[in-house]
Amino acid sequence: MTNAGTSRRRSIGAQRNPESQQAILKAAEAILMEDGLAGFSIEAVARRAHAGKPTIYRWWPSRAALLLDVYHHQKHVERVPDTGSLETDIIAFLTALFGYWRDGNAGAIFRSVIAEAQTDVKATDALRAYVLDRFSQSAEFVRRAQARGEAADWVSPELAIELLAGFAWNRLLTSRLDDNPEELQRLARQISLGLKG
Amino acid sequence: MTNAGTSRRRSIGAQRNPESQQAILKAAEAILMEDGLAGFSIEAVARRAHAGKPTIYRWWPSRAALLLDVYHHQKHVERVPDTGSLETDIIAFLTALFGYWRDGNAGAIFRSVIAEAQTDVKATDALRAYVLDRFSQSAEFVRRAQARGEAADWVSPELAIELLAGFAWNRLLTSRLDDNPEELQRLARQISLGLKG
């Protein structure tokens, strides 16, 4: 999948070498698995990946940015849902997100990044960039609903996703990720039909 | 403004002495004002209020619980909106919340409690209890909309508030509280009319 010969110039001016980038991400994942969040530091990742700290910092400006990349890489199972209906897409989106956060360490990783973002401006920047990118990706299923005529043209797909994500964050951050299909159904209905019903 | 006799917290079985409760809250507020979050501890509050630490802990089981009470007390300006229309109530709710978080130290206090709740189970419990209580209070304006026939009977007022609050949390936690009245209007419309429009 990687071909270092074709590596392109990126914004900062640093060459991201795909192989060492992958090696760093793999090292970061391994450290998270073995030592947990407490053992996760740029220093530990550098040691394990046989990379220099400056190399890591050139690509990931903060521990939070690297954590978010690991978090997102693990999340490759999650795709933008496409069940053919807006209401069931909403349910699928939330069910997948809750499940992902509950199983394994993804929920704990994301919670720790959010916590760090409340005191560390670099972490806030990394988190904000990450969520804005995710919102615009996930908004795809609302755009599809618009194309099908299931959602009005004046609706903002990004705002719709932000509402869903905000709801999910609140559940995560207050440890309320229990499955409640009936509740998610009602929520999806409230969002797609609106409060007027 | 305060009437400790109507204090909401009766569960633990401890009798809250209204006067010393007020003294503790006032001391906590003063410490926050003067020393900021870093200087805020149960110990510092006890010293300033001439109260025993066990007394404080009996009423507020964690630093987070006391912080949330101070936060909520400061928030007496915020009321459940009643503009006569669901859509403008939603806008008023979010505008007041964003303004409250932006001005003064309320946003910083709330962010720090949320951060603490990601590593400290007592803080999680305090935060969860607080938000569930708030959701059910704020849901009042959606219930009124139901009574007016502006919202459907099958709608859950609490879920509607949770969506709004989640959206607001996400903005707060990623430092995106800028005023954007046009965006809030669109959001309120999406929520009240639904994505179908």
Side-chain angles (χ1 to χ4, degrees), chain A residues 7-123:
Chain A
S7 84
R8 282 151 288 137
R9 282 241 152 225
R10 301 259 171 151
S11 46
I12 317 287
Q15 295 262 37
R16 268 214 196 201
N17 172 330
E19 272 168 36
S20 72
Q21 189 191 344
Q22 283 305 311
I24 290 165
L25 277 174
K26 285 233 171 312
E29 269 175 44
I31 285 172
L32 261 180
M33 288 281 245
E34 288 165 28
D35 306 326
L37 279 162
F40 189 89
S41 65
I42 296 282
E43 191 133 53
V45 173
R47 215 176 308 125
R48 182 151 190 151
H50 306 292
K53 272 168 69 179
T55 307
I56 300 185
Y57 275 118
R58 203 168 52 216
W59 295 336
W60 293 277
S62 62
R63 177 180 179 272
L66 182 52
L67 264 178
L68 279 171
D69 229 0
V70 174
Y71 168 79
H72 185 65
H73 255 77
Q74 292 184 339
K75 211 175 163 185
H76 60 276
V77 284
E78 180 240 23
R79 303 229 168 271
V80 179
D82 190 5
T83 66
S85 124
L86 178 59
E87 218 169 304
T88 49
D89 274 0
I90 291 173
I91 297 171
F93 176 81
L94 288 175
T95 305
L97 195 53
F98 282 23
Y100 179 62
W101 282 340
R102 259 193 331 250
D103 309 334
N105 59 357
I109 296 175
F110 202 50
R111 291 177 76 156
S112 88
V113 172
I114 293 173
E116 207 172 315
Q118 305 322 307
T119 49
D120 178 325
V121 175
K122 277 189 176 177

Side-chain angles (χ1 to χ4, degrees), chain B:
Chain B
M1 134 206 182
T2 51
N3 178 359
T6 62
S7 141
R8 290 161 292 133
R9 226 172 267 135
R10 284 154 228 238
S11 45
I12 319 289
Q15 292 267 30
R16 275 210 195 201
N17 172 332
E19 271 167 37
S20 71
Q21 189 193 343
Q22 283 307 308
I24 291 165
L25 278 174
K26 286 232 170 311
E29 269 174 44
I31 285 172
L32 261 181
M33 288 279 245
E34 288 164 29
D35 306 326
L37 278 162
F40 189 89
S41 66
I42 296 281
E43 192 132 51
V45 173
R47 216 176 307 123
R48 182 152 189 149
H50 307 292
K53 273 168 69 179
T55 306
I56 300 185
Y57 275 118
R58 202 169 51 215
W59 294 336
W60 294 278
S62 62
R63 178 180 178 273
L66 182 52
L67 264 179
L68 279 171
D69 230 1
V70 174
Y71 168 79
H72 185 66
H73 256 78
Q74 290 184 338
K75 210 175 165 186
H76 61 276
V77 284
E78 180 242 23
R79 303 228 169 268
V80 179
D82 190 4
T83 65
S85 124
L86 178 59
E87 219 169 303
T88 48
D89 274 0
I90 290 173
I91 297 169
F93 176 81
L94 288 176
T95 306
L97 196 54
F98 282 22
Y100 179 62
W101 281 340
R102 260 193 329 252
D103 309 334
N105 59 357
I109 296 175
F110 202 49
R111 290 177 78 156
S112 87
V113 172
I114 293 173
E116 207 173 314
Q118 306 321 308
T119 49
D120 178 325
V121 174
K122 275 189 177 178
T124 321
D125 292 344
L127 180 62
R128 184 173 46 243
Y130 177 74
V131 300
L132 291 178
D133 182 58
R134 294 310 304 152
F135 291 166
S136 105
Q137 299 278 325
S138 305
E140 183 55 26
F141 79 78
V142 184
R143 282 182 218 114
R144 274 199 308 257
Q146 282 179 320
R148 285 193 306 262
E150 252 196 300
D153 282 341
W154 59 265
V155 157
S156 159
E158 285 77 13
L159 276 181
I161 293 300
E162 219 184 318
L163 272 178
L164 287 176
F167 172 83
W169 278 40
N170 187 287
R171 294 268 162 138
L172 173 70
L173 297 172
T174 55
S175 294
R176 294 183 299 134
L177 290 181
D178 343 310
D179 249 331
N180 187 338
E182 192 266 325
E183 192 181 38
L184 289 189
Q185 262 163 31
R186 202 205 294 227
L187 186 78
R189 210 173 153 207
Q190 284 190 200
I191 292 174
S192 56
L193 293 187
L195 302 181
K196 281 185 95 167

